[in-house]
Amino acid sequence: ALARQFPEPLNDVYRVEAFVGQGAFSTVWRATHRTSGQVRAIKKIDTTDLSPREIAHEVTDCMRRLAVLLIPSLVASERPARVGRALQQELEDRSLRSGGRGQHGLEGKVPHPDPIPGSQTWPSGSDKCGARNAYECGDGEHCCCMFGCIYDVEKDACSGCDPSDPLVAKFHIPASHLWRTCNIKNSHKCGSACCCNAGYQWGLESRRCEETKDLAELPKSLPQRQVPQEDLVPGSQTWIEAGLTCESRNAYSCSDGRHCCCRFGCLFNAEQDSCTACRDDTPEVQSFHIPSSHLWTERIEEGSCTPEHSHVCGKSCCCHGQYRWDLEQRHCVRAGVVKAPRRIGVLTPPKPAPIAGSQTWLSCEAKNAYVCGSNHCCCMFGCEYNLERDACSSCNDKDPLVAKFHIPASHLWTARRQEKNCDASNSHRCGQSCCCNGDYVWDMELRRCTQAAQADETTTES
């Protein structure tokens, strides 16, 4: 399933295995070379809002990390040429900054400690870091990946350890492959050898790992990614008033405390008045699920998500709309950047068409019509007036008016099924459902028929 998201030439060389994480403009995936078995990161970048200089920076960053870069949107006219010029300048700038040493930014500078966000929450023990291919670093509570390993957010551990990684080749302690263990202070295992921890370098004279200030720069942190807006189900306050729960309809309680919002990966089905068609392979779930939450005990055994402001989504957990997962604090926090909601207009219903002379009828209902105008009758949607019979007939359940303007889920109403009538004010029977009368529309939030002139003054958020 993952292979379909990548071009064939890449799939021929690499086997994409898992989603690792995302930034504001990119997603990162773990892949294995089909021939050598080496593990690489694939960075898939959306360049729509990036300048050529920013794209060039991403390219050189991937070169430094020996990652595979995929830019699916770099196809517009002169942009590749402009990016090429920016890339040349970026490489020249990096060469000047490094004094011409090394390639692709892999100068002799010692790597800067890069603590794994939230690793202070890993279960404590004699080797809490080592159990996840990491070592103690920073404030003594966090862990850093061993050289040659990559942090996998879905496993919440360092994995894909490669003994041929450039960091291992460049910074392993000479002859340490002959040691039985890596018991030198401030060192860790890397491949078949030992390496000094980030921020330290091997002193050949002192034969120990010495702290150094000449460190390589940490990569710039990416801006926060826009998270989905909270999407209230219109009228869902009636579910709670009826004694139902949001969870019973694949939803969660929105922040206003009155409405329900569909879980990520589910869609609101107006005909069933419920969130349905839930899937775990939707872009929302893939992009915004809480990393490694599919491994949580309560998610597996109880089918629930315990962090505040989170809900079940597919096989994982997701933070509610307007919230994002803070990897360091390990809980859902208010997002600083939220996608603006889409706004859709209200359908314009047909105008009432009073039947001439129908004020003389004894009953509109008896002739497949409803009361309209000044004591006149109008044909129910889906029916046509027959002059010879002086009645509305040829009623069609599949008439376009019925399909377009029937009240969602009204075929499930008790009054419609048992008593064959519609108890909502300003509504009438149409096919197996109910429709609002001419010049009225169904207000999903208020759950009643309102005049179109009033509905036109506002739009519905979706």
Side-chain angles (χ1 to χ4, degrees):
L2 291 177
R4 291 197 296 268
Q5 303 183 44
F6 298 89
E8 279 189 25
L10 187 143
N11 286 320
D12 290 341
V13 179
Y14 290 96
R15 180 174 62 255
V16 182
E17 296 174 337
F19 172 77
V20 175
Q22 78 279 327
F25 310 105
S26 64
T27 54
V28 181
W29 308 75
R30 188 180 72 245
T32 301
H33 194 282
R34 294 184 181 275
T35 305
S36 68
Q38 288 186 336
V39 176
R40 287 286 177 262
I42 294 179
K43 193 170 186 180
K44 192 175 182 181
I45 299 178
D46 178 7
T47 62
T48 306
D49 298 320
L50 296 182
S51 68
R53 184 74 179 186
E54 289 171 322
I55 298 171
H57 177 77
E58 294 289 346
V59 172
T60 54
D61 185 61
C62 284
M63 290 167 65
R64 183 173 65 85
R65 297 170 179 270
L66 293 189
V68 179
L69 183 67
L70 182 64
I71 310 180
S73 59
L74 189 61
V75 293
S77 58
E78 80 283 358
R79 290 198 79 201
R82 293 175 60 192
V83 170
R85 291 193 295 271
L87 177 59
Q88 183 178 5
Q89 184 63 48
E90 178 79 8
L91 290 173
E92 290 174 359
D93 291 348
R94 281 178 178 262
S95 179
L96 288 172
R97 289 197 298 268
S98 65
R101 301 188 306 274
Q103 295 181 0
H104 313 319
L106 277 172
E107 316 90 38
K109 290 187 177 182
V110 174
H112 197 290
D114 191 8
I116 298 167
S119 54
Q120 77 280 4
T121 65
W122 289 357
S124 59
S126 59
D127 194 21
K128 79 165 188 177
C129 297
R132 304 197 188 197
N133 295 317
Y135 63 89
E136 190 178 286
C137 66
D139 55 6
E141 296 183 358
H142 286 75
C143 301
C144 291
C145 282
M146 296 175 177
F147 288 8
C149 303
I150 299 174
Y151 176 63
D152 187 332
V153 292
E154 292 302 332
K155 294 180 179 178
D156 196 20
C158 302
S159 61
C161 300
D162 182 6
S164 63
D165 187 277
L167 279 177
V168 177
K170 200 169 192 66
F171 295 106
H172 72 277
I173 299 172
S176 59
H177 64 285
L178 302 176
W179 299 352
R180 289 187 177 181
T181 59
C182 299
N183 56 4
I184 298 293
K185 187 178 180 181
N186 299 314
S187 72
H188 64 272
K189 182 181 177 182
C190 58
S192 57
C194 300
C195 291
C196 290
N197 296 348
Y200 291 81
Q201 63 181 356
W202 181 246
L204 199 56
E205 176 64 25
S206 63
R207 297 298 171 103
R208 61 188 177 86
C209 293
E210 301 171 340
E211 190 171 5
T212 177
K213 300 297 184 183
D214 188 23
L215 303 177
E217 292 182 5
L218 276 173
K220 294 179 180 178
S221 59
L222 292 171
Q224 285 188 21
R225 188 178 189 182
Q226 287 186 333
V227 301
Q229 174 69 274
E230 203 170 46
D231 196 4
L232 284 64
V233 176
S236 54
Q237 75 278 3
T238 62
W239 300 351
I240 300 171
E241 291 167 1
L244 300 171
T245 63
C246 297
E247 289 71 21
S248 68
R249 300 201 174 187
N250 296 317
Y252 63 88
S253 181
C254 304
S255 58
D256 68 352
R258 295 181 62 243
H259 290 78
C260 299
C261 294
C262 284
R263 295 172 180 170
F264 287 10
C266 303
L267 297 173
F268 176 63
N269 186 321
E271 294 303 329
Q272 297 182 27
D273 196 21
S274 178
C275 301
T276 61
C278 300
R279 296 169 53 188
D280 59 4
D281 60 349
T282 65
E284 243 185 0
V285 175
Q286 288 189 343
S287 296
F288 297 104
H289 70 278
I290 299 174
S292 75
S293 58
H294 63 287
L295 302 175
W296 293 352
T297 302
E298 62 272 17
R299 180 68 191 90
I300 298 172
E301 297 180 357
E302 303 169 17
S304 62
C305 299
T306 54
E308 190 177 8
H309 307 302
S310 72
H311 62 272
V312 171
C313 60
K315 297 176 181 177
S316 304
C317 297
C318 290
C319 292
H320 295 346
Q322 300 182 179
Y323 284 82
R324 64 175 180 83
W325 181 247
D326 188 303
L327 198 57
E328 172 64 18
Q329 300 180 48
R330 300 291 168 114
H331 63 240
C332 296
V333 298
R334 274 280 186 180
V337 186
V338 181
K339 292 180 180 178
R342 290 183 299 111
R343 304 181 75 86
I344 56 174
V346 178
L347 292 173
T348 303
K351 294 290 183 182
I355 300 168
S358 57
Q359 75 278 8
T360 63
W361 293 356
L362 297 177
S363 166
C364 295
E365 286 275 337
K367 298 199 176 188
N368 296 318
Y370 64 89
V371 177
C372 66
S374 301
N375 296 319
H376 283 70
C377 300
C378 291
C379 283
M380 295 176 177
F381 289 8
C383 303
E384 295 180 357
Y385 176 63
N386 188 314
L387 185 61
E388 296 298 329
R389 296 181 179 179
D390 193 26
C392 300
S393 60
S394 302
C395 298
N396 181 9
D397 292 1
K398 298 180 180 180
D399 186 277
L401 277 178
V402 176
K404 193 170 186 178
F405 293 104
H406 71 278
I407 299 172
S410 57
H411 63 287
L412 302 175
W413 292 356
T414 302
R416 182 69 190 89
R417 286 185 293 145
Q418 296 180 0
E419 303 167 18
K420 307 299 182 184
N421 61 28
C422 300
D423 52 6
S425 181
N426 299 309
S427 71
H428 63 272
R429 287 184 291 108
C430 59
Q432 302 298 316
S433 303
C434 297
C435 290
C436 291
N437 297 346
D439 210 24
Y440 282 81
V441 292
W442 182 248
D443 189 310
M444 280 292 293
E445 172 63 17
L446 300 176
R447 299 291 170 110
R448 70 186 185 201
C449 295
T450 59
Q451 283 195 305
Q454 297 173 357
D456 286 343
E457 294 176 0
T458 60
T459 54
T460 303
E461 290 188 5
S462 174

